[in-house]
Amino acid sequence: MIKFRLAHLGLAMAALGFTAALPVAGLAPVHAAVTLRPEVGKPLQQAQNLIKQGNAKGALAALRDADKAAKTDDERFLIERVRASAASSAGDWNTAASSFEKLLDSGKLSAGERSQFSEGLVGIYMRAGDLNKANATIQKLLQKGNDPKLRAYLLQNYYKQGNVAALEQELRNAEKSGRLSEDELGMLANIQLKKNDKAGYVQTIEKLAAGYPKAQYWNDLLNRVQGKPGFSGRLSVDVYRLKLANNLMKKPSEYMEMAQLVLQDKAPAEALKVIDKGYKAGALGTGADAERHKRLKDLAEKNLADQNKNVAALEAEYTAAKDNDALVGLGYALVQSGQADKGLKMMEAAIKAGGLRRADEAKLRLGEAYAAAGRKQQAINTLKTVGGKDGSADLARYWIMAINRPIA
């Protein structure tokens, strides 16, 4: 009789030969000594030696002699463990899958080994291209507890199969149990695009921009929000403000248009900030339109000088007319010109007094003013109160996202 220790077979995770892109399970050693008859033990040892020599196919042939001699469940169990290693090393995925299945059905694996071998079986099925069996195995494992790695493979397989319905359902299930990863949200966004689910797509891009702030997500989000039904053209300037805050503006035309819109909103100090950023970025002050850029800057400087001279008169005029919308605008302009305390008090008082033509827009501007003044928490608290269906609520939510997690 041969005293046989499976640990001596050296069946380690490397024997499976998987790449890191697949779930890997090693053939964990069994340290308890097992007594084997020579007619089984000798071919097993031969197979192990052949595996060490890199001759996995030869090892599989040697194991066929062990198969012929095997009589007990223990002997068959040990043969399958060695065959699982040899077949995996040889790239014989069908044989490897069969061995893994038999080992899992044997009842001889510990709880830890069952988990390892189950994940290894998933990897074998995926290598073999049998995604249906891989998915079925993953689903069984997920019933025992959430495993982000396995769930990612399931989603990947559904995507490869073009099984949109199953992929979307699994993403929805995953979303209920926690935040989706960036890749998972990207999959969901692609599904929604294919289904022409515009509203769903925007919601998903919003989650990407909030959780994984990148220029590509923010640009997509801000471009699409302006296309939503009911979006007010008056809020185009606020879209630009978000672009500027997220360093998304690159083109000379963007700096020019924003500066012009801000001037129309009677905030010349902000217009000058925009123009100066354009000059520093190299987008303004060069090329055929350099003189036009200079004229716009001169106009902004003149408007700021005029506003500074007439602030008291303008405040008195708006107050007498009970034009609280105009007072909100003037207060915002003061914040941008460096008079944060005075400007914020003016805006707060005007909003509190009521009678506003566009109350939600006014609160959005107050939130932006707080942000410009560096008062982040007050900005967030104010922006949370913004409602409306004209785009104000969307932009307020985006401002909170930008404040909490700016683009790196």
Side-chain angles (χ1 to χ4, degrees):
M1 304 293 282
I2 296 177
K3 205 72 169 178
F4 194 86
R5 286 182 178 272
L6 191 57
H8 294 165
L9 292 175
L11 299 177
M13 288 193 347
L16 288 174
F18 291 131
T19 66
L22 290 174
V24 178
L27 299 176
V30 173
H31 297 287
V34 179
T35 301
L36 293 177
R37 293 175 297 114
E39 52 264 50
V40 175
K42 286 182 179 179
L44 276 178
Q45 288 179 332
Q46 181 187 4
Q48 169 60 12
N49 291 333
L50 288 167
I51 291 173
K52 288 181 178 179
Q53 295 167 15
N55 187 358
K57 291 183 179 179
L60 289 173
L63 289 172
R64 286 194 280 273
D65 292 333
D67 286 330
K68 294 174 184 177
K71 293 181 179 180
T72 69
D73 288 343
D74 283 341
E75 289 173 341
R76 295 186 183 93
F77 173 72
L78 294 176
I79 291 169
E80 291 304 334
R81 288 188 73 124
V82 181
R83 193 183 344 261
S85 176
S88 299
S89 297
D92 185 347
W93 306 120
N94 290 332
T95 299
S98 176
S99 290
F100 269 64
E101 289 167 352
K102 289 175 182 176
L103 290 168
L104 286 165
D105 291 339
S106 70
K108 296 180 181 295
L109 296 174
S110 67
E113 285 182 315
R114 282 194 63 80
S115 176
Q116 287 183 320
F117 275 74
S118 295
E119 291 185 28
L121 183 58
V122 171
I124 289 169
Y125 285 143
M126 289 172 67
R127 274 290 183 86
D130 194 339
L131 299 185
N132 288 329
K133 284 188 176 180
N135 294 345
T137 303
I138 292 172
Q139 287 166 338
K140 287 180 182 178
L141 291 170
L142 289 177
Q143 288 174 1
K144 299 175 182 178
N146 186 44
D147 184 329
K149 178 177 62 177
L150 286 177
R151 191 174 295 281
Y153 288 124
L154 183 62
L155 295 172
Q156 174 184 310
N157 291 347
Y158 284 146
Y159 189 79
K160 285 182 178 178
Q161 292 174 310
N163 191 343
V164 174
L167 176 58
E168 184 172 17
Q169 184 59 52
E170 193 59 40
L171 286 168
R172 296 297 185 193
N173 293 341
E175 194 171 24
K176 290 177 184 177
S177 60
R179 192 180 75 176
L180 293 179
S181 70
E182 184 177 2
D183 286 342
E184 290 167 345
L185 284 170
M187 287 183 187
L188 183 58
N190 283 331
I191 291 171
Q192 289 162 332
L193 271 181
K194 289 178 181 178
K195 294 173 62 177
N196 199 30
D197 180 3
K198 295 179 181 179
Y201 178 80
V202 171
Q203 289 175 358
T204 301
I205 294 298
E206 184 174 324
K207 290 174 183 176
L208 279 165
Y212 310 93
K214 294 179 180 178
Q216 66 192 79
Y217 302 140
W218 269 104
N219 276 321
D220 196 1
L221 184 63
L222 293 176
N223 288 336
R224 287 180 182 274
V225 72
Q226 296 179 83
K228 291 181 70 173
F231 184 86
S232 171
R234 293 189 310 274
L235 301 177
S236 296
V237 66
D238 300 284
V239 173
Y240 271 118
R241 284 169 177 149
L242 273 168
K243 287 186 175 182
L244 191 69
N246 282 302
N247 297 313
L248 298 176
M249 289 177 37
K250 306 296 179 185
K251 301 176 182 178
S253 59
E254 292 175 316
Y255 286 101
M256 290 290 286
E257 184 174 356
M258 180 179 179
Q260 289 165 351
L261 288 172
V262 169
L263 282 174
Q264 291 173 18
D265 265 11
K266 300 179 181 179
E270 183 181 19
L272 276 173
K273 291 178 184 178
V274 173
I275 294 168
D276 286 342
K277 282 191 175 183
Y279 271 91
K280 288 178 182 178
L284 300 182
T286 60
D289 289 329
E291 185 58 35
R292 181 166 167 256
H293 303 160
K294 179 67 167 55
R295 288 197 300 272
L296 184 62
K297 184 176 183 179
D298 291 342
L299 176 62
E301 289 174 342
K302 179 181 182 302
N303 285 5
L304 178 58
D306 292 343
Q307 189 179 73
N308 287 338
K309 290 178 185 177
N310 300 311
V311 167
L314 288 171
E315 183 179 1
E317 176 187 339
Y318 298 154
T319 300
K322 295 183 180 181
D323 191 345
N324 289 323
D325 292 280
L327 285 168
V328 168
L330 181 59
Y332 180 88
L334 291 174
V335 172
Q336 288 289 347
S337 68
Q339 301 178 65
D341 289 340
K342 181 176 181 179
L344 289 170
K345 286 180 181 178
M346 186 181 294
M347 296 180 78
E348 291 164 354
I351 291 173
K352 185 177 181 180
L356 296 162
R357 292 186 293 277
R358 294 177 289 275
D360 285 308
E361 185 177 318
K363 287 187 286 186
L364 172 63
R365 299 286 161 75
L366 177 58
E368 292 169 341
Y370 278 130
R375 303 183 187 183
K376 293 183 179 181
Q377 193 54 55
Q378 286 177 288
I380 291 171
N381 292 341
T382 300
L383 291 164
K384 284 181 178 178
T385 68
V386 178
K389 296 181 179 180
D390 61 350
S392 297
D394 291 324
L395 294 179
R397 194 165 58 253
Y398 300 166
W399 265 109
I400 293 172
M401 287 161 46
I403 292 170
N404 284 332
R405 292 197 66 181
I407 294 177

